[in-house]
Amino acid sequence: MSAAACLLSEEHFLCSICLDVFNTPVTIQCGHNFCRNCVTENWRINRKCQCPVCKKLFDKIPELHVNIFILEMVAQFRQSAVKKASEVAKPGEVPCDICTGIKLKALKSCVVCLASFCETHLQRHQTVSGLKRHKLIDPLDKLEDRICTKHDELMELFCKTDQICVCQFCNGSDHETHDVVPLREEYAGKKIELESTQGKFQQMIQERQLKIQELRRSAELSKEAADKVTADGVHVFFALLQFAETGLAELTEQIKKKQAITAKSAEGFIRELDQEISELMKRNSEAQQLSRSDHLHLLQNFSSLNAFPNMKDWNKVNLHQPLFEGAVARAVAHLKETVNRGTAKLLQAELKRVQQYAVDVTLDPNTAHPKLVLSDDGKQVNHSDVEKNLPNNPERFSYCVMVLGKQSFSSGKFYYEVEVKGKTKWDLGVTSVSANRKGQVTSCPQAGYWTLQLRNGNEYIALADPDVVLSLRSQPQKVGVFVDYEEGLVTFYDVDAAVIIYSFTDCSFIDKLHPFFSPCFNDGGDNSAPLRVSVVHQTD
C-alpha cells in the first residue's frame, strides 16, 4: 500500500467540495467520496440530498460510513508528504539531479553517471545489474568538477608539491615522486588554517570596528571643541557688538543733548533779538509819524523818541559750538579698549586650548653641538666656549649650536613651552627629521626648519623666506610652540601675554618633526642664560 500511495498524487485525495485533503472521508451510494462535514453541510444548505458531483438525488439522507480504505490512504499520503518534505535538499546539501520540481536530498553520487540520486532514484542502481557495478560515493556537488579529465577517475588525493587534486592513476604516474596525501587529510589541515585565517579576519574586523568608534569619538570631540570655541567667539563678539551699539547710542544721545543745549541758547538769543527788533520797529514808526507832524509837536516829543532804548551789545554775543569731534574720539578710544580686552580673552582661550596638547620634551644629547651644555634632566641648554670631544654621529649638529628634542611627531597636535628670560638671542622652532644638520644650516621652511629667532635683545624675526620682522609690544619671557601636523600649522605664543607672535601656515609636512633649540653664542656672558623647557601650566 505504501508503494501505491507513492504513485498517487495529492489530487487523488482531495474532497471535491472543500478542495482539501479528505478529513473523515465518507462514500455515498453513488460511489463518490467527500469529507463528512462537507457533504452534510452541503445537504443542509441546499435542502436536498443530491450528490455534489453526479447530481444524483436521494429520497432521504443516506447513512454515512467512514471509508476506511481512503482514510488509511490519506494517512499514509500525509506521512509520505511529511517524509518527502524532510528529504528536500536544504542549502548546503547535495540535491538529486534526477528530481524535477522540488529537489530531494541526494544519498549517493555515481562516479560513472556523474550524477547524484535521492532514495527513490537510487533504487535502479540497487536493482539493475548493469548499474550495480557503478561506483557509488557519498554525495558530492558538481561531481563533474571532481573527476580527473585524464583518467575519468574521482580525484581523492592532493599533491602538495604541485598544489592540485589528483586521482589514484595520476599518483602512480605524473606524481609518483611528489608529496601526495589523501584529500580528506589535506582538507582537515586546510580547514584548520582557514579557521585560523577566519580568526585573524575577525580580529582585523574588530580592530577596524574599534577604529571606527575611535574616529567617531574623535570627530565628536572635534565637533564639541569647535562648538565650544564658536560659542566663546560668539559670546565675545556679541558682547563687543552690544557694547558698540550701546556706545553708539550713548554717543548719539550725548551729541543730541549738546546740540539741544546749543539750539536752546540760539532760540533764547533769537527771542531777545526779535523783541529788540519789535521795539526798534515801534520806535522807528513813531519817529516817522513825528517827522510828518508840525513844528511844535516835533519839538515837544523829539527828546523822548531820540533816546535809544537799553539794548544788548550783540557784537559781544556768540553762540558756543560744542566739540563733537572730541566725543567721537573718546567713544572710539573706549571701544578700542573694550575690543582689546575682548581680543585678549579670545587669545587666552586659544592659548588655553592649545595647551591641552602639551607634551613632555627632553633634549637629545646625541644631536647637541659639542659646545652646548645640557642639564642632567635634559630640560635646559646653554652655550660654552669649551668644545667637548664628542663623536660626529649623523644626528649631531656640526656647525650650528643647536640641539633637538628626543621626541618626534608625525601626526596630530603637540605643544611645548620654553623659558627665554635673560637672553639677548635665541632660535626656536621645529625641524624635519631629514633636514640638514651638518655645516651651515639654512633656517627656512624649504630647508625643513620653521624658526622664530631673537637678535640684539629686541629684534624678533620669523625666518619665512623672505624673513618677517616682527613688532612686539613686549618681550616674551616664555615662548609656546604649537604644531598641528595635519593642518600644516606652526604657531609661536608669548605665553605671559597670551598673544600670538607668529604663525607659519600651509606647511607641507612629510617627515617626522622634532622640536629644536639654539641658545646661540654666550657673547662673553651677555647671552649666558640658558634656554629651559618648562612645565606647561594652563593659563587661567
Side-chain angles (χ1 to χ4, degrees), residues 7 22 27 43 45 89-90 96 103 106 176 244 252 258 262 292 308 319 333 350 363 392 395 397 429 431 459 490 508:
L7 297 176
F22 285 121
T27 304
W43 289 343
I45 294 173
K90 300 178 180 62
C96 175
K103 297 282 188 178
E176 185 176 4
T252 304
K258 289 184 177 182
T262 303
R292 293 193 292 268
F308 286 92
L319 187 64
E350 171 67 12
L363 305 177
N392 187 21
E395 297 84 7
F397 287 93
T431 181
E459 297 175 3
V490 180
S508 298

Side-chain angles (χ1 to χ4, degrees), residues 150-163:
K150 185 176 181 180
H151 301 104
D152 290 332
E153 283 289 326
L154 183 67
M155 293 185 290
E156 298 180 296
L157 303 173
F158 184 79
C159 177
K160 299 179 74 173
T161 305
D162 294 336
Q163 292 291 302

Side-chain angles (χ1 to χ4, degrees), residues 488-513:
L489 176 69
V490 180
T491 301
F492 297 88
Y493 290 87
D494 181 342
V495 176
D496 296 326
V499 298
I500 295 175
I501 301 174
Y502 186 79
S503 289
F504 290 92
T505 59
D506 299 325
C507 306
S508 298
F509 302 133
I510 56 176
D511 293 326
K512 293 180 179 178
L513 298 178

Side-chain angles (χ1 to χ4, degrees), residues 299-314:
L299 292 175
Q300 287 177 342
N301 293 285
F302 176 78
S303 58
S304 61
L305 285 177
N306 191 47
F308 286 92
N310 187 19
M311 294 186 178
K312 185 180 293 186
D313 184 2
W314 288 100

Side-chain angles (χ1 to χ4, degrees), residues 5 8 150-151 200 204 234 270 302 324 361 405 407 478 508:
L8 296 175
K150 185 176 181 180
H151 301 104
K200 292 179 181 178
M204 292 172 69
V234 169
I270 291 171
F302 176 78
F324 296 118
V361 175
Q407 294 71 24
K478 184 184 293 184
S508 298

Side-chain angles (χ1 to χ4, degrees), residues 219-233 353:
E220 290 174 0
L221 292 175
S222 177
K223 184 178 184 303
E224 290 173 4
D227 290 344
K228 184 179 183 304
V229 172
T230 301
D232 292 342
R353 183 184 69 81

Side-chain angles (χ1 to χ4, degrees), residues 82 120 245 296 339 352 356 380 406 424 431 444 471 532:
V82 170
T120 301
E245 291 175 356
L296 179 63
V339 170
K352 187 175 181 180
Q356 297 175 0
Q380 71 177 41
K406 289 182 179 180
T424 60
T431 181
C444 65
S471 178
R532 185 188 306 273

Side-chain angles (χ1 to χ4, degrees), residues 31-32 43 45 52 64 115 120 124 127 132 153 164 269 287 303 306 317 383 390 447 476 520:
H32 292 110
W43 289 343
I45 294 173
L64 300 177
T120 301
R124 285 178 54 79
T127 57
K132 284 182 179 181
E153 283 289 326
I164 58 173
F269 292 147
S303 58
N306 191 47
V317 175
H383 175 259
L390 297 175
C520 297

